[in-house]
Amino acid sequence: HWKKRQESLKRMIAVQKGKETTTQPEESMSSKPSEENRAIDTNGRKLVNAQNSIPKVTVINNNKNPEQKPSARLPTQQETSATKPTSQPPKTSTDSKKKKAKRAPPIMISSQQHPGMQKFWNWHHDVAHMYRALQVESSDASNTKIGETPILPKSERGHVPLSLQVVNYSRYKVSVYWLDYDGKEEYKGSMAAADELTNGGHWDQTTWIGHPWIFRTNGVLLFTFIPYRVVPTTHRKSTVSEDDDDDDEYDDEGNRIGIFEINIWPSETEGSRKSVSVIDTVSLGSVMPTNIPFQQQQHFAMEWCLDQMARDDTSVHAIEILLQYLRNICRQPDNCIYRQIRTTHPTFASCVWNNMGARAILWTLGFVEHYGFVEMGPDVGAKLNYERLTQVGNAIMSLEAYLNKIQDPSSNWQAQPEGADGSGRAGWGSAGTMHT
């Protein structure tokens, strides 16, 4: 092989000098190259076509004597690599499309200070209206109604019973009316006003899901209440009677009847119109309070969030995921990556974002929604302040206490009342089919 390689080199030198020393054989018709055109490179690998694969030879003629033959040398490794084609094909445009660049998160718009509790109160208002419709008359003449107007202002044939327990803490005598099946008000009773010695009157009434109730004082409308579904009972807030011997708390089939509590409080700012503030089982009030400190608002909001997580029967795994997000913020308060979360992330969306109580915790802590992300605190280069870190730490302690409570095997869970799963809404059968 070495002898053949030397002969090939000599032929290349003769061709460059313009002197043909040997005759080239005719090109074979076969696609397979002849043995004379085969060669071996310096690493011992076969080259299919020696004439096209042999590296170029550099002719050196430093002697001024033309009769002296020039010396031939093999090219260096740098020269060979410069002329040698690459083994990998060039990248095409389709290859670059396979790896799409990950979309960078937007610049954070949240600030160092807490944005306020308005976002939580709006979310709390929407979640509460899943269980009932509450329309409260305002004391301001320019804003006469707060809440939702009932679609059908009359009673429909219900299938799930409900016990209303109303306590009047206002200074008005409150009369109670039921809207019958024709939409006419039917007087049912009244509650005495509260004074310095008494807490006011009590009124208990067994009704049905979808039956509207009107509360007035001296003919002036205070608020309208329509139960939509039975509130599930939890270890934090019971919605069933604790007296098992009370026959009034069971229906004809022996099922427990759910209890819906309503407390009527005097309004913070009473104008020319008579108005009240209503707090029931699923809400902290008909309007956001403004006369209590911000820290106390956060405490009440956190308690409501835990109540809602219990009503939704939030899993232990979902609570642990939420705790992991909050702990990361406390461990690295100067890293904004842990304070800006993509809402479409599978784990975050299933465990936190789509859970009504867990999302309410984010609003309580001051998270802001922005272009598919939820974020809190300043952007890159700033650290979350001590006040915000304290709020996150308090939320972590509340969640850990709640988690330990639901994991305690000694917890006594009561049987759910009828309709707590959302079935039995007015006009619908307990199986979810339309009742005509």
Side-chain angles (χ1 to χ4, degrees), residues 16 33 47 52 112 120 147 185 201 213 262 265 315 317 334 432 436:
Q16 292 183 6
L47 298 177
N52 298 331
Q112 186 72 265
F120 164 79
E185 294 185 7
W213 292 88
I262 303 175
W265 293 88
S315 64
H317 174 68
D334 55 345
T436 57

Side-chain angles (χ1 to χ4, degrees), residues 137-339:
E137 293 294 315
S138 173
S139 59
D140 187 4
S142 61
N143 185 15
T144 57
K145 294 181 179 180
I146 301 176
E148 293 183 357
T149 305
I151 299 176
L152 296 176
K154 63 180 181 179
S155 295
E156 297 182 351
R157 297 292 177 181
H159 302 275
V160 177
L162 184 71
S163 177
L164 290 183
Q165 298 182 0
V166 187
V167 181
N168 182 22
Y169 295 100
S170 68
R171 59 186 182 89
Y172 308 122
K173 179 182 178 181
V174 180
S175 301
V176 184
Y177 298 85
W178 170 61
L179 283 180
D180 61 10
Y181 300 106
D182 296 328
K184 298 179 181 180
E185 294 185 7
E186 181 179 333
Y187 178 76
K188 289 293 185 179
S190 61
M191 293 174 287
D195 52 25
E196 297 180 356
L197 300 178
T198 62
N199 291 328
H202 296 257
W203 178 75
D204 297 339
Q205 176 71 47
T206 301
T207 183
W208 298 86
I209 295 295
H211 285 205
W213 292 88
I214 308 297
F215 297 83
R216 298 181 179 273
T217 175
N218 296 329
V220 178
L221 177 64
L222 294 178
F223 66 95
T224 304
F225 179 84
I226 309 175
Y228 280 163
R229 59 170 292 186
V230 177
V231 181
T233 184
T234 65
H235 67 280
R236 293 179 55 85
K237 183 176 292 186
S238 177
T239 57
V240 293
S241 175
E242 298 179 358
D243 187 5
D244 296 336
D245 298 331
D246 190 357
D247 296 335
D248 295 337
E249 302 301 331
Y250 292 86
D251 58 7
D252 297 337
E253 299 178 357
N255 300 320
R256 283 183 177 270
I257 298 178
I259 299 175
F260 213 113
E261 297 179 356
I262 303 175
N263 297 324
I264 307 175
W265 293 88
S267 178
E268 298 179 5
T269 57
E270 295 186 3
S272 58
R273 300 189 180 193
K274 297 180 179 179
S275 63
V276 293
S277 177
V278 180
I279 300 176
D280 55 20
T281 304
V282 294
S283 71
L284 299 175
S286 53
V287 293
M288 183 177 71
T290 57
N291 59 345
I292 62 176
F294 180 78
Q295 292 77 8
Q296 193 172 359
Q297 287 190 41
Q298 278 199 322
H299 173 73
F300 291 153
M302 193 65 195
E303 292 297 316
W304 181 90
C305 295
L306 297 178
D307 291 340
Q308 186 59 41
M309 293 178 72
R311 286 191 285 264
D312 294 337
D313 196 14
T314 306
S315 64
V316 174
H317 174 68
I319 301 174
E320 291 175 346
I321 293 296
L322 177 58
L323 281 171
Q324 182 178 352
Y325 280 106
L326 299 180
R327 287 167 181 163
N328 289 338
I329 296 176
C330 290
R331 291 191 184 108
Q332 300 189 29
D334 55 345
N335 193 345
C336 65
I337 295 179
Y338 297 108
R339 293 185 276 107

Side-chain angles (χ1 to χ4, degrees), residues 29-71:
M29 299 297 295
S30 175
S31 61
K32 182 179 180 181
S34 62
E35 293 296 333
E36 296 179 358
N37 294 332
R38 293 181 177 274
I40 304 297
D41 63 358
T42 56
N43 296 325
R45 295 177 297 182
K46 282 188 176 183
L47 298 177
V48 177
N49 195 339
Q51 295 181 357
N52 298 331
S53 302
I54 292 177
K56 294 181 180 180
V57 178
T58 305
V59 180
I60 304 175
N61 188 7
N62 295 329
N63 194 351
K64 296 181 180 181
N65 188 2
E67 296 181 359
Q68 186 177 359
K69 297 181 179 180
S71 61

Side-chain angles (χ1 to χ4, degrees), residues 318-420:
I319 301 174
E320 291 175 346
I321 293 296
L322 177 58
L323 281 171
Q324 182 178 352
Y325 280 106
L326 299 180
R327 287 167 181 163
N328 289 338
I329 296 176
C330 290
R331 291 191 184 108
Q332 300 189 29
D334 55 345
N335 193 345
C336 65
I337 295 179
Y338 297 108
R339 293 185 276 107
Q340 189 177 34
I341 310 170
R342 192 187 301 271
T343 58
T344 56
H345 189 278
T347 303
F348 179 78
S350 60
C351 297
V352 181
W353 190 245
N354 294 334
N355 186 284
M356 291 181 288
R359 191 189 295 195
I361 292 179
L362 300 181
W363 304 143
T364 304
L365 296 177
F367 275 82
V368 179
E369 188 175 4
H370 176 58
Y371 281 105
F373 290 80
V374 283
E375 59 191 35
M376 72 175 299
D379 204 350
V380 181
K383 184 178 179 180
L384 197 66
N385 58 23
Y386 176 78
E387 182 180 359
R388 302 292 296 276
L389 286 175
T390 303
Q391 296 169 2
V392 177
N394 293 336
I396 292 176
M397 290 189 294
S398 299
L399 283 171
E400 288 176 346
Y402 173 75
L403 186 61
N404 295 332
K405 181 66 177 179
I406 63 176
Q407 289 179 331
D408 187 6
S410 62
S411 299
N412 296 322
W413 292 91
Q414 297 174 316
Q416 293 292 341
E418 183 185 2

